[in-house]
């Protein structure tokens, strides 16, 4: 009898393990397909048929279907009758190994424009004043911009700049020029380095509405503190990128 009870439980457990294994394989395949898509590996934006993908990657048809479902969930591809699976969303590469403004970074992919939603002096919150090396309650220039690439919302940028430098930005063309370029002109020296952190967060209602993204959608939050060449912190930014339109990358060297 004990042996019979063990046997009765074996089949459901084995089936659950197979489902889990297939889900793992689907996720792995989705990662490979995503890389191919972002690298332009499918001319014309049409993926091979499921049978061909299964043969190419040594995967079962169900695994291929699950992998494509994952990519559809990311709104990277969609299924079109009579055509197959097609790429519907282009992601743009944003390098993390050079200190550049967004227009400089994406100049090969189109025109970056800025909708200046807010600009003016504000009393710096304590964490902002601390990061910029300013006394508490010091006024700074606050800028909120919606940034578009070829007309599509790409990022929502919140920027804090010390007022002795930032005041000059009020007379500048913030709609068509990166703040980095303007800061170098106003300060009379080039930018030097930046400290960055990058994490995924859920879009709040305000950010989602501005970026025209679903509420709660994952966005990439880049926090960047930029210094002038002389070491002075001059620009603190909180940038929310639409995760379905940007991919971050860089070249890293191992230090022994």
């Amino acid at each position: 009898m004990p042996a019979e009870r063990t046997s009765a439980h074996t089949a459901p457990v084995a089936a659950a393990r197979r489902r889990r294994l297939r889900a793992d394989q689907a996720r792995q395949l989705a990662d490979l397909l995503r890389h191919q898509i972002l690298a332009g590996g499918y001319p014309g934006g049409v993926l091979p048929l499921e049978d061909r993908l299964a043969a190419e990657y040594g995967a079962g048809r169900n695994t291929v279907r699950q992998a494509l479902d994952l990519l559809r969930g990311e709104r990277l591809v969609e299924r079109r009758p009579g055509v197959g699976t097609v790429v519907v969303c282009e992601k743009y590469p944003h390098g993390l190994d050079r200190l550049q403004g967004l227009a400089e970074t994406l100049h090969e992919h189109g025109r970056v424009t800025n909708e200046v939603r807010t600009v003016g002096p504000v009393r710096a919150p304590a964490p902002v004043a601390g990061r910029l090396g300013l006394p508490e309650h010091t006024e700074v220039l606050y800028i909120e911009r919606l940034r578009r690439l070829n007309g599509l919302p790409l990022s929502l940028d919140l920027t804090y700049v010390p007022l002795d430098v930032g005041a000059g930005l009020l007379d500048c063309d913030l709609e068509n020029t990166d703040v980095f370029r303007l800061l170098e002109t106003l300060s009379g020296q080039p930018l030097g380095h930046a400290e960055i952190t990058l994490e995924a967060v859920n879009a709040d209602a305000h950010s989602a509405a501005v970026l025209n993204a679903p509420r709660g959608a994952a966005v990439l939050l880049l926090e960047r503190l930029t210094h002038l060449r002389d070491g002075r912190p001059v620009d603190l930014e909180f940038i929310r990128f639409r995760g379905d339109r940007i991919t971050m990358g860089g070249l890293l060297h191992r230090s022994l």
Side-chain angles (χ1 to χ4, degrees), residues 78-102:
E78 68 178 27
R79 181 81 176 175
R80 291 182 180 170
V83 179
T85 301
V86 299
V87 179
V88 294
C89 182
E90 182 176 5
K91 287 195 175 186
Y92 301 98
H94 187 296
L96 292 176
D97 47 7
R98 295 188 65 187
L99 183 55
Q100 293 183 314
L102 191 65

Side-chain angles (χ1 to χ4, degrees), residues 150-229:
N150 299 325
L152 292 175
L154 185 63
S155 71
L156 177 63
D157 297 15
L158 313 183
T159 304
Y160 300 89
V161 181
L163 202 55
D164 63 311
V165 177
L169 293 173
L170 293 171
D171 297 322
C172 295
D173 183 9
L174 293 171
E175 292 186 353
N176 298 290
T177 313
D178 278 338
V179 167
F180 277 2
R181 285 189 176 275
L182 297 173
L183 287 176
E184 290 181 322
T185 299
L186 293 171
S187 67
Q189 63 174 301
L191 299 175
H193 69 280
E195 305 155 24
I196 65 171
T197 59
L198 180 66
E199 60 180 318
V201 300
N202 292 330
D204 59 274
H206 168 70
S207 299
V210 173
L211 290 170
N212 195 24
R215 184 173 181 176
V219 296
L220 293 175
L221 174 60
L222 176 67
E223 180 182 332
R224 179 169 61 196
L225 178 62
T226 302
H227 302 251
L228 295 171
R229 178 171 286 180

Side-chain angles (χ1 to χ4, degrees), residues 4-141:
E4 291 180 2
R5 286 197 297 270
T6 300
S7 177
H9 289 287
T10 299
V13 169
R17 286 174 177 169
R18 286 196 297 272
R19 287 194 297 271
R20 185 167 63 248
L21 178 61
R22 188 164 63 239
D24 292 340
Q25 292 173 340
R27 185 171 60 251
Q28 294 164 7
L29 178 56
D31 289 341
L32 297 175
L33 294 176
R34 186 186 303 104
H35 173 79
Q36 286 291 93
I37 291 169
L38 299 180
Y42 299 116
V46 180
L47 275 65
L49 297 177
E50 292 179 0
D51 286 343
R52 182 176 169 186
L53 288 174
E56 182 176 350
Y57 289 97
R61 285 284 299 275
N62 287 337
T63 298
V64 171
R65 292 193 184 107
Q66 287 186 8
L68 294 176
D69 283 342
L70 291 174
L71 298 179
R72 279 194 288 271
E74 298 174 17
R75 296 187 294 176
L76 190 59
V77 302
E78 68 178 27
R79 181 81 176 175
R80 291 182 180 170
V83 179
T85 301
V86 299
V87 179
V88 294
C89 182
E90 182 176 5
K91 287 195 175 186
Y92 301 98
H94 187 296
L96 292 176
D97 47 7
R98 295 188 65 187
L99 183 55
Q100 293 183 314
L102 191 65
E104 294 173 314
T105 301
L106 300 178
H107 73 277
E108 296 180 355
H109 302 282
R111 182 167 178 259
V112 173
T113 56
N114 311 309
E115 177 188 325
V116 181
R117 298 174 53 81
T118 303
V119 59
V122 298
R123 179 175 292 183
V128 171
R131 298 292 303 280
L132 291 172
L134 301 172
E136 287 191 24
H137 311 306
T138 300
E139 284 198 330
V140 296
L141 185 72

